[in-house]
Structure formats: structure tokens, C-alpha cells
Amino acid sequence: MSELQSQYAKRYKSRKFINYIMITIMLLSTLLALIPLFSILTHIGISGIKALNLQFITNLPAPVGEPGGGMGNALVGTLVLVSLAALMGIPVGVLTAIYLSEYQQVGLFPSTVRFVADSLLGIPSIVVGIFVYLIIVLPMKSFSALAGGVALGIMLIPIVIRGTEGMLKMVPDSLREAALALGMRKWRVIVSIVLPTAIKGIITTIMLGIARVAGETAPLLLTAFGNHFWSTKLDQPIGALPLQIFNYAISPFDEWHNQAWAGSLLLILVVLILSIIARLATRGNKLN
Amino acid sequence: MEKVIQVNDVKAWYGSLQTLKGISLEISKNRVTAIIGPSGCGKSTFIRCLNRMHEVVPGAKVEGKILINKTDIYSTQVDPVEIRRRIGMVFQKPNPFPTMTIYNNVASGLKLNGVNNKKVLGEAVEKSLRRAALWDEVKDRLNHSGMSLSGGQQQRLCIARALAVEPDILLMDEPASALDPISTLRIEELVQELKQQYTIVIVTHNMQQAARISDYTAFFLNGEIIEYDITENIFTKPKDKRTEDYITGRFG
């Protein structure tokens, strides 16, 4: 054995040892990250399932002491608010991302847009609430579903822009060139080649964004305000699951605390169902 | 010999970097013309100028005159999309559309330009796949993803896709450089057959390949054309010292 080889042999043992230690640390970190996630989910599941039943989903809130109260109004409210946010955030976000990725990648304007979107991502959500309060609630002289939807929409836009742009950038240029060289017009290339290739990632991004805003409470305090009765009117205050969870959780009644847990479970289920529907809807589009 | 492509003093830039410094040459109908030269000499830029693909890169610029079938393709009245429909292009790396089946990959150029007649499409797909010598291998699985094919098959699929829009000129940018020797051989045989119907311009790094398959060869160096002649002359009695140095492997 040459001197170099014996040196390698000596080091092999310690290298193997360090390798073992590092992999153990990574595994421990992974477990550490899983503990809070897993315990939140099981805790909400166990605490929420007790009060979660059909009545809870279909009924209005009942006064303390009366049985059979539910969060039906808040569930409908959340669906209305999220739909409004999606109606505003998805088209604006996706079209902006297409502009940034396919039409104007470099320059002062696109980098300003990216910078603003990134800043908006980090803005405290209550600030968005105050802003919408100023531009919609004060002029309309009323809290409203519209204001809540706009607040959530404003939060959704930057998530969709940055996520979708990232997904579009992952589509290799070679596909765009192949399509252009076949004599396709640019909009055709985007609609028929680039978007279908990136659609799974874009849907995932949008669903993560929807899940994020569906759980927001702070921007709704000053906009949607909450409503203990059925309402789908856009110019009236509207209930929302996070608002009702908040109100019930800070109340002094055990019964309401249980309902707050059930509301949390319901919120998680809503987000989960939305994601599954979106996945199923795009399943036909992927081949590999 | 009819000249389908006439190139006159073409200059091209990427941003401030000039990659073509005045190229002039004429390309004959139904012949294979090879473009050889070391990396960065402007071979790819040159053929991308022939179907107006150079300009799709941000900051790219072209000057000069290119006539294809006597039409000035850089005239302001000409729609670049129309030019690209008449000139097929095959790229270095096979690039089938990943979301499409084999059938739809071949039909894509027609479909996405508005052809919807199933019979017309079906016939065009079969004809193109036969011409690309791929039909027998894929005829029973036209509904599989294009990505399920091997690299060599994928490249022939891309050739079929380019042929389906019925171009009369085929540009090939190192079409075999990412393939194994057997697939390369198949592509070379294919080029020989295709020249009956198409005018082919092929960029290649591989000098043996140029010698095997082309009728004419142009040697490019630093964005200039050093020598352009019948392939046999280029490889047996080059007139320029630099051509001789390159083909004998003394540089590049």
C-alpha cells in the first residue's frame, strides 16, 4: 500500500463516523420539525371532532346554553370571501406572472414589480386590513364581504405572482423555441405549451395561497367584520371561520371553546377539500 | 443548380457581442449543406437567422439580407411566424412537448395553427412519422407520452414534428450530438433520405459526420466564413490554411 492509500484508509473511518453523525442530526431535525405539525393536527382533530357534526355545519350560532348551534354562516362566509379573493387574485396574479416570465423578464419595470410583490408578501396582514378599511369600508360606510374579499385578494396576488413566475421559469426555453420554430404565435406557445407544462405547479401554488388567506383573521377584523346571521350579500358584513374561531376562543364558555376547535377542524378540512378538487381537475392534463 | 437560400452580408449580435461578421453564401435546393467550425464560431447563430429564430432571444439583432425562394425574409412586410412555418428546425437536444402524446407532438404544428380535421391530421401524422423512420416503432402507442421514447426516438419524433407542417427547408442544429452512435447513424441515414424532398442545412461539431452526409460544407471561424465548397473539396483539398488546420484537428 502506498503512503497516500494508507492515509486514505486511516481517514476512511473518521469520515464514516462524521457521515453517521451528520445523518443522525438531519434525521433528528426532521423529527423535531414534524412534532409541532403532527401534534397540532392530532390535537385539533381530537378536540374538534367532538363538536363537529352535521348541525355544526348547517346551523347558525346558538346562544350559550342552547344546544345545536353551529358555524354554517361562517363556513358560507369563508367560501364567499375566498371566492372573491380567488376571483381577484388568480387572474391578476397569473397574468402578471406571465408578463414577467414571458414578455418582460429584465428591466426596471419588472424588477420593481418583483420587489413590490416580495414586500407585499412580508407585510403584516392587519396593515392590509387597515388599508382596505380606508379605501372601501369608510367610503361605503359599512363593513362588507366585498371589503373582506378585496383584503384577502390583495394578500393572494403577490403569492400567486411569485409562485407562478417561478413555475413558468422552470419550463425549459427549448420547448418555447421548438414551438416558435413550428410557426406558432407567441400567445399560442404560452397557452398551449408553456402553461400546460407548468399547470401542476401553478395549481399547487394557488392552492397554498388560498389556504393561507382562508385562515387569515387580522385583515377581516376591519373589513368583513363578522356576522352571526346568514348573509351572502357583498355589501353587508359577513361571517368567516377564522373570525368566529377567534370570537369563540376568547369567550369564557367551555361550550364555545369546543365549537372553536370544531371550527378549526372545519377550516382545515375546507382547505384540504379545495386542494383535492384542484388536483383532480388538472389530472387529465399531465401525462408523465 | 437552383439556389433556395441566398445570404448576403449577414451580421448578428447578442447584445453587444457580434457573433456573425458578414456572412454571404448560397444554398442549393435538395442538397445537404453542413456548417462546421469550432464552438462559438457562429454556426448556430447563422442557422437561427435563416428562420428568424435568432431575434427571439432578448437583445439579439440581425443585419443584412437573406432571400429564401427570392423572398426577403427580413423585409418589414414579412411575418416571422409565416417564415418559421415554411422552414422546419431540429434542435441539439430532443425537445418533445412533455404534456403531449406522440400523436399530438407530431400534430401540434398543424393543430395549433388551426387544422382540426381528424382525417387530415391522422394522415399527416403517419406520413411524417414514416418519413422520420419512426412509424414502425411507435404506431401501436401513438397515445403514449412523447417522453416515454428513448433519446434517439425522441429526436426522430422532433424531426417528424418539424416535417408535419410541410416545410421545404429543414434546419438542423447539431441534431445528433446528444445521441449514442447507433441513434446518430439512424439520424444520418434519415438526412440522406430526406434530401430527396427537402433542402437541409445542418450544423455539426463532428467533421466525419459532415463528410459522410453533406454535399456542401461551409467552414466558419469567429463569425466569418472561411471556406465554402463541395464537401469533397473541403476535406481533400482545402484552399485555406485555417480550414486545413481545423479538419486535420490541429485546432478547434
Side-chain angles (χ1 to χ4, degrees), chain A residues 105-106 174-186 188 192-193 196-198 285-288, chain B residues 48 53 56 79 81-82 84-85 87 89 91 95-101 108 112-113 145 147 161-162:
Chain A
Q105 297 95 326
V106 287
S174 65
L175 292 184
R176 294 181 180 89
E177 293 204 328
L180 284 172
L182 282 174
M184 284 184 211
R185 304 211 174 265
K186 186 157 184 170
R188 246 304 167 209
S192 299
I193 307 296
T197 307
N285 272 329
K286 59 181 155 81
L287 275 158
N288 44 329
Chain B
R48 290 170 64 93
M53 283 295 289
V56 306
D79 179 356
V81 169
E82 292 301 327
R84 293 180 201 133
R85 280 179 198 173
I87 303 172
M89 190 167 208
F91 296 83
N95 52 3
F97 299 131
T99 55
M100 293 186 190
T101 60
S108 57
L112 301 178
N113 286 327
S145 165
M147 304 304 280
R161 181 177 66 186

Side-chain angles (χ1 to χ4, degrees), chain A residues 22-270:
Chain A
M22 292 312 290
I23 287 178
T24 312
I25 292 174
M26 285 183 245
L27 193 66
L28 285 175
S29 306
T30 310
L31 291 176
L32 206 64
L34 279 177
I35 290 169
L37 287 177
F38 194 70
S39 35
I40 288 173
L41 280 178
T42 47
H43 195 75
I44 291 176
I46 292 164
S47 314
I49 204 83
K50 282 184 287 191
L52 188 63
N53 50 38
L54 196 64
Q55 284 184 334
F56 183 81
I57 298 171
T58 56
N59 283 14
L60 282 177
V64 188
E66 246 175 65
M71 289 195 183
N73 59 325
L75 177 62
V76 171
T78 284
L79 292 178
V80 169
L81 288 169
V82 166
S83 305
L84 283 174
L87 225 53
M88 176 178 164
I90 295 173
V92 174
V94 169
L95 289 174
T96 306
I98 291 175
Y99 178 74
L100 291 178
S101 155
E102 307 298 314
Y103 286 95
Q104 195 64 263
Q105 297 95 326
V106 287
L108 186 63
F109 180 62
S111 27
T112 311
V113 175
R114 286 190 193 98
F115 177 73
V116 171
D118 284 343
S119 315
L120 215 53
L121 272 177
I123 234 171
S125 55
I126 187 77
V127 176
V128 175
I130 294 169
F131 172 71
V132 175
Y133 179 80
L134 286 176
I135 62 157
I136 295 185
V137 176
L138 283 185
M140 282 176 68
K141 296 194 172 64
S142 164
F143 295 109
S144 63
L146 182 70
V150 168
L152 297 186
I154 290 175
M155 299 201 60
L156 189 58
I157 289 173
I159 304 177
V160 175
I161 291 178
R162 295 304 265 152
T164 304
E165 193 196 356
M167 293 301 156
L168 293 176
K169 285 232 173 90
M170 278 166 65
V171 175
D173 272 339
S174 65
L175 292 184
R176 294 181 180 89
E177 293 204 328
L180 284 172
L182 282 174
M184 284 184 211
R185 304 211 174 265
K186 186 157 184 170
W187 68 268
R188 246 304 167 209
V189 177
I190 295 169
V191 171
S192 299
I193 307 296
V194 179
L195 284 176
T197 307
I199 194 73
K200 261 182 77 186
I202 295 175
I203 296 279
T204 307
T205 292
I206 290 174
M207 290 322 298
L208 284 173
I210 297 263
R212 160 97 199 276
V213 301
E216 278 293 345
T217 320
L220 297 182
L221 290 170
L222 294 167
T223 54
F225 190 69
N227 189 335
H228 279 266
F229 301 98
W230 294 110
S231 173
T232 47
K233 291 203 187 93
L234 294 188
D235 59 349
Q236 294 299 316
I238 197 166
L241 283 171
L243 281 176
Q244 200 129 344
I245 293 165
F246 175 70
N247 287 332
Y248 276 29
I250 60 171
S251 77
F253 314 113
D254 280 346
E255 203 184 316
W256 280 17
H257 291 167
N258 286 337
Q259 295 222 331
W261 282 117
S264 311
L265 183 58
L266 189 60
L267 190 56
I268 291 175
L269 290 177
V270 167

Side-chain angles (χ1 to χ4, degrees), chain B residues 28 49 52 80 92 138 142:
Chain B
S28 307
C49 288
R52 297 198 58 173
Q92 186 170 0
V138 301
L142 293 173

